[in-house]
């Protein structure tokens, strides 16, 4: 990804580190990252009111590999 290469060259940091330190942390985006260590933190999609299949986050590569999981209790409070 060209933008990532430019960011790394100009900042002297890895792309993921730069985005985390310069965007996620200042914006309070504590549930956004480039990897999910705990798959149970992934958001649950719904299909016709029923929980849908979990999606492998690696499909987000075209979105800059960014994954946002939402608030930790979103699945316990959402009622379709």
């Amino acid at each position: 990804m060209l933008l990532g290469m430019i960011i790394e060259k100009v900042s002297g940091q890895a792309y993921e580190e730069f985005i985390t330190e310069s965007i996620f942390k200042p914006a309070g985006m504590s549930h956004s990252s480039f990897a999910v260590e705990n798959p149970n933190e992934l958001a649950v999609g719904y299909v016709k009111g029923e929980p849908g299949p979990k999606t492998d986050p690696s499909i987000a590569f075209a979105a800059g590999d960014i994954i946002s999981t939402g608030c930790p209790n979103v699945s316990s409070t959402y009622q379709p």
Side-chain angles (χ1 to χ4, degrees), residues 1-67:
M1 162 167 68
L2 183 60
L3 179 60
M5 291 170 40
I6 293 170
I7 287 173
E8 289 181 349
K9 179 83 170 174
V10 172
S11 72
Q13 294 177 291
Y15 175 71
E16 294 86 352
E17 180 183 353
F18 178 83
I19 298 299
T20 299
E21 297 298 322
S22 301
I23 297 175
F24 294 160
K25 285 185 179 179
M29 297 172 67
S30 59
H31 298 285
S32 295
S33 65
F34 290 87
V36 175
E37 293 178 19
N38 181 356
N40 293 325
E41 293 179 353
L42 291 173
V44 176
Y46 286 84
V47 177
K48 297 182 181 179
E50 297 295 323
K54 293 245 181 192
T55 304
D56 185 332
S58 67
I59 66 166
F61 73 93
D65 288 334
I66 296 171
I67 301 165

